[in-house]
Amino acid sequence: MELWLIFGLIALSTLISFLIKDIKTISCINISVSIINFIACILLVIKVESFDTLFYLEKILFLDSYSTVQLFIISGVTLVSSIYSYKYILNEVKHQIISIKKAKIFYILFNLFVFSMYLISFANNVMIMWISLEATTLATAFLIGFNGDKLSLEAAWKYIILCSVGITIGLVGIILLIYSTGSNVTMENLNWTYLSKHYSTFDITITKIAFTLIFVGIGTKAGFAPMHTWLSDGHSEAPSPISAMMSGILLNLALYVVVRFYVIIKNIDNLQNFNKLFVIFGVLSLFISSFSILKQNNYKRLLAFSSVENIGIISLGIGFGGYFGLFAAVLHSIIHAFGKTLLFLVAGNILENYKTKRIDKIHYLFKFMPINSAFLILGMLIITGAPPFASFFSEYYILISGIKSGHFIATIIYALCLLIVFAGFLVAFMKMIYTKQNDVEVVKLEEDGNNIVPLIITLVFVVFVSAFLMDIYIT
Amino acid sequence: MNLLITLTLLSTVAMSGFRRLKLMTGTFMIQSLSIAFICFFLGYETNEAHYYALGMLTILIKAIVIPIIMNKSINKLKTAREMNMIINGYWSYIFSSIFVVIALMLLKNFRQDLIKTGLVLILFGTFILITRKKAINQMIGFLTVENGIVLIELSTVQMNLAIEFGIF
């Protein structure tokens, strides 16, 4: 019931943004749809807690506890960024940066993007999972090139080429994995629930090749380090609400798909050491991104590199394994989604007033935009893992699980990189907030309190996760 | 059947030396057409309808619609050639022959030739993507990768039609 409500409402909202010309009504409808969807998702989460797994449409769609986590993230971040885009788009239209037609296109693509992300988290059929992952690539490619200038078009082209190639490599992997089951292909045995039970019939050599291809291919979309080059451009060029959604949800979802396949193959004999893939790529992501953060002069790019770093942390958690590692990885993916959303939205506010992405052009933010700079500091503390927030505990548990499972070198690099990232964030943002520029008169900008509501909602989410969700998971 | 596979492989290898953009789209058309005929042939052998559907789709989209769009955008461009490739035609031929050897060596346990051809197409498509600078050539590289996937999918698992359409 809730499922049809979610998909039906998003389809309806797409249709409305296609037909109606008034941007204000479109965005109001968009906001109300995402609020209703959020409530529906919460109901689904409660339902799954009592039923364990739910099946829909002859087992093509299903829900279990891992996908409800994704559902919570998707609906929450979508809610926040749809509220944010209300004022964002109206402002752009008012200043004639974009035309009304383009604003309509924005909402159509926004809805398509959200639709395909919901489909990924619901999908049981692995091919549907793959197809909807590809659909997100198409929708977001146009959203990255939304501004239409040279830089953003280049970023969109890079994104579409890299991610499509990555995802086709993933498809080859999936095809080989299904081939290795040795059975005839029907709708039934493309299902994840079927594959995860019948792992004993797999051909080991083909499965090895297949999972490596899947990991590298879909890992491109998740933003693992050697394949992360699209990410820094793409996230920094996209409109701010979209970058928030991309780095908060989409990276998570791509990792979610990889983990789904990992769950299928991890019980096969001789393949137990495949968690090394997660550890190696996680450490590599951490290492590269932490040093990139240190030398960054563009704050949106800095946040993009921080997404790479956080994906590295999550995949380390999965690679170390054990109860603590997995729990911390899931917790970190939730808190990272909301924390990164907060930071990207604040960055959007700053970008709107200053019209520059360079760190050295922004001074004394603390006096110019006091509310936004307070949120900036809070978001920074959340992302770098300061104690009161849940991110501290998730990073701490990953450290513990690393030591417990005996990956000492990886744990040492992990701890060092966390320190470097903290230093990099401090240097960049303290420069923006506290450095004084002598010859400029300090006047508080009027636009400071303009787009604050979504930031407050995100903070509420973060506090909620930190205070309540952790208790539920620990007990 | 073997003839068609040879045609696919030849058109792929031939692509590596071409500088003229129109020649590229032409060879790409031949490649897609031969893949479509492979689909028809398989459909004739097994009497299954979805092969025919896949073949028709391939002809319609990859052999007619995409080349027409490409030719239109080539006519708009000033230069009809790719001038500075990162790796020139001579070396591209050598690389493509290396790809053929790699595919044959890696997949020597498989009986079917289709999957080997598919791997060659994927490798060569990514090669074009990396070494060419013109956007249209990169598109052709990407579409070649897609053709390779169709071949691999034909040879290993038979999917449902809806999913085949999704892959498309």
Side-chain angles (χ1 to χ4, degrees):
Chain A
M1 170 58 202
E2 286 90 352
L3 176 94
W4 305 121
L5 191 73
I6 292 171
F7 286 121
L9 277 177
I10 297 174
L12 191 74
S13 154
T14 318
L15 199 69
I16 285 172
S17 35
F18 199 66
L19 293 175
I20 296 179
K21 270 190 176 167
D22 190 22
I23 292 299
K24 222 171 188 174
T25 12
I26 293 177
S27 27
C28 285
I29 288 168
N30 201 32
I31 291 172
S32 45
V33 163
S34 51
I35 291 174
I36 296 172
N37 278 350
F38 179 69
I39 296 168
C41 285
I42 295 296
L43 287 179
L44 275 178
V45 172
I46 295 168
K47 225 179 180 178
V48 169
E49 221 159 272
S50 51
F51 283 102
D52 203 33
T53 36
L54 295 171
F55 287 103
Y56 299 95
L57 259 185
E58 297 171 352
K59 294 192 174 179
I60 288 178
L61 305 179
F62 89 127
L63 269 183
D64 63 1
S65 46
Y66 190 31
S67 45
T68 50
V69 172
Q70 308 300 326
L71 215 58
F72 176 68
I73 297 172
I74 296 172
S75 54
V77 176
T78 310
L79 173 69
V80 172
S81 55
S82 70
I83 294 172
Y84 184 86
S85 16
Y86 172 72
K87 272 188 179 166
Y88 178 82
I89 289 292
L90 277 188
N91 202 14
E92 300 261 288
V93 171
K94 204 173 81 187
H95 290 105
Q96 296 188 330
I97 300 167
I98 55 172
S99 59
I100 289 180
K101 201 178 160 197
K102 253 194 143 181
K104 275 171 74 172
I105 292 174
F106 175 86
Y107 273 111
I108 293 171
L109 289 173
F110 183 95
N111 281 318
L112 284 179
F113 181 34
V114 175
F115 187 88
S116 39
M117 284 195 302
Y118 272 119
L119 204 56
I120 295 173
S121 68
F122 273 115
N124 187 8
N125 190 313
V126 285
M127 288 317 293
I128 288 182
M129 229 182 246
W130 182 85
I131 288 168
S132 32
L133 204 60
E134 175 73 44
T136 57
T137 314
L138 291 180
T140 44
F142 289 112
L143 283 170
I144 289 174
F146 189 67
N147 289 329
D149 52 6
K150 201 183 163 205
L151 274 176
S152 60
L153 283 180
E154 190 197 326
W157 185 248
K158 207 171 174 181
Y159 173 69
I160 211 169
I161 290 292
L162 261 169
C163 277
S164 316
V165 170
I167 231 164
T168 27
I169 290 171
L171 176 65
V172 175
I174 295 173
I175 289 175
L176 283 181
L177 188 75
I178 294 163
Y179 179 65
S180 77
T181 58
S183 51
N184 280 334
V185 178
T186 55
M187 270 323 227
E188 171 68 30
N189 49 12
L190 281 179
N191 281 349
W192 181 83
T193 38
Y194 176 90
L195 288 173
S196 59
K197 273 177 200 145
H198 293 76
Y199 54 83
S200 53
T201 59
F202 282 18
D203 183 314
I204 287 179
T205 338
I206 299 180
T207 312
K208 263 184 197 167
I209 301 171
F211 183 70
T212 318
L213 285 177
I214 290 173
F215 188 91
V216 173
I218 299 180
T220 311
K221 196 130 170 98
F224 283 122
M227 297 89 79
H228 72 289
T229 42
W230 63 271
L231 198 145
S232 44
D233 286 340
H235 286 197
S236 66
E237 290 303 328
S240 297
I242 300 301
S243 358
M245 276 162 74
M246 278 171 70
S247 95
I249 321 171
L250 190 56
L251 300 185
N252 259 330
L253 273 177
L255 195 62
Y256 159 83
V257 176
V258 176
V259 172
R260 280 271 182 222
F261 285 105
Y262 174 60
V263 172
I264 294 175
I265 66 127
K266 79 166 190 281
N267 289 324
I268 303 174
D269 295 338
N270 306 326
L271 291 185
Q272 261 87 7
N273 55 359
F274 258 61
N275 68 338
K276 293 279 190 301
L277 264 182
F278 283 97
V279 174
I280 291 169
F281 275 89
V283 166
L284 214 59
S285 313
L286 265 169
F287 191 74
I288 292 177
S289 61
S290 59
F291 282 98
S292 308
I293 282 172
L294 266 187
K295 277 281 168 194
Q296 210 46 247
N297 199 11
N298 174 339
Y299 52 85
K300 273 187 97 170
R301 244 180 125 82
L302 187 145
L303 295 180
F305 274 115
S306 154
S307 306
V308 178
E309 176 234 337
N310 280 293
I311 286 296
I313 294 175
I314 296 169
S315 81
L316 269 184
I318 294 162
F320 289 154
Y323 175 77
F324 275 130
L326 293 178
F327 156 69
V330 172
L331 182 66
H332 197 82
S333 66
I334 299 173
I335 196 82
H336 163 244
F338 290 112
K340 195 46 69 60
T341 307
L342 181 63
L343 273 178
F344 263 119
L345 295 186
V346 172
N349 278 345
I350 297 171
L351 178 64
E352 210 169 304
N353 289 325
Y354 281 82
K355 311 281 181 222
T356 173
K357 287 177 193 162
R358 290 174 67 95
I359 290 172
D360 55 1
K361 292 256 172 74
I362 294 171
H363 299 282
Y364 224 28
L365 205 62
F366 161 64
K367 278 279 173 352
F368 284 109
M369 302 171 80
I371 306 174
N372 273 309
S373 53
F375 277 109
L376 190 61
I377 293 172
L378 274 175
M380 191 192 80
L381 290 178
I382 294 167
I383 283 299
T384 49
F389 300 108
S391 47
F392 169 74
F393 296 101
S394 59
E395 287 176 0
Y396 179 63
Y397 285 138
I398 289 173
L399 202 69
I400 290 179
S401 71
I403 294 168
K404 260 188 182 169
S405 62
H407 295 87
F408 294 114
I409 301 172
T411 317
I412 291 168
I413 298 174
Y414 164 71
L416 278 178
C417 287
L418 282 185
L419 271 179
I420 294 171
V421 167
F422 191 62
F425 263 78
L426 269 185
V427 167
F429 287 132
M430 289 305 122
K431 222 185 252 171
M432 277 165 67
I433 293 172
Y434 291 117
T435 326
K436 226 177 192 172
Q437 205 179 16
N438 288 327
D439 48 347
V440 179
E441 195 184 345
V442 176
V443 187
K444 191 187 159 216
L445 289 174
E446 274 180 23
E447 289 89 357
D448 185 29
N450 233 351
N451 217 341
I452 289 302
V453 183
L455 305 184
I456 298 171
I457 297 174
T458 330
L459 199 64
V460 170
F461 271 122
V462 171
V463 172
F464 169 76
V465 171
S466 306
F468 300 108
L469 223 55
M470 276 184 47
D471 278 356
I472 297 171
Y473 274 101
I474 287 174
T475 55
Chain B
M1 185 76 182
N2 278 332
L3 194 72
L4 286 170
I5 293 178
T6 320
L7 194 62
T8 319
L9 208 58
L10 267 182
S11 60
T12 315
V13 173
M15 252 186 217
S16 56
F18 292 159
R19 278 167 181 269
R20 294 255 307 271
L21 294 178
K22 278 201 172 166
L23 218 54
M24 282 291 259
T25 45
T27 14
F28 173 71
M29 222 168 90
I30 294 172
Q31 190 193 61
S32 317
L33 268 179
S34 53
I35 285 173
F37 281 114
I38 288 174
C39 291
F40 287 144
F41 192 80
L42 284 174
Y44 178 73
E45 268 189 345
T46 53
N47 266 333
E48 282 179 47
H50 71 98
Y51 283 122
Y52 288 111
L54 189 65
M56 286 308 287
L57 264 177
T58 313
I59 286 189
L60 194 71
I61 296 175
K62 281 183 185 154
I64 297 176
V65 176
I66 289 177
I68 287 177
I69 295 173
M70 277 185 172
N71 278 334
K72 261 189 183 171
S73 48
I74 288 171
N75 287 336
K76 276 183 203 163
L77 290 175
K78 280 172 196 164
T79 49
R81 290 156 182 268
E82 168 95 47
M83 286 321 281
N84 44 356
M85 296 186 252
I86 295 172
I87 292 174
N88 62 19
Y90 172 69
W91 279 102
S92 306
Y93 276 124
I94 292 177
F95 267 108
S96 51
S97 57
I98 291 173
F99 291 150
V100 176
V101 174
I102 289 174
L104 287 178
M105 288 292 285
L106 269 182
L107 302 175
K108 63 184 170 196
N109 293 335
F110 287 84
R111 277 290 155 75
Q112 276 178 313
D113 288 334
L114 273 181
I115 189 169
K116 295 169 193 168
T117 323
L119 188 66
V120 173
L121 256 65
I122 288 177
L123 284 173
F124 188 73
T126 22
F127 177 73
I128 287 189
L129 263 176
I130 296 164
T131 56
R132 303 295 192 267
K133 283 177 183 167
K134 281 259 175 343
I136 289 188
N137 275 351
Q138 291 183 353
M139 283 263 285
I140 287 178
F142 181 63
L143 290 167
T144 311
V145 173
E146 243 178 26
N147 273 344
I149 281 183
V150 170
L151 281 183
I152 285 189
E153 192 240 301
L154 279 177
S155 59
T156 49
V157 285
Q158 274 80 48
M159 305 263 181
N160 231 324
L161 187 63
I163 290 169
E164 268 168 4
F165 190 71
I167 291 171
F168 230 71

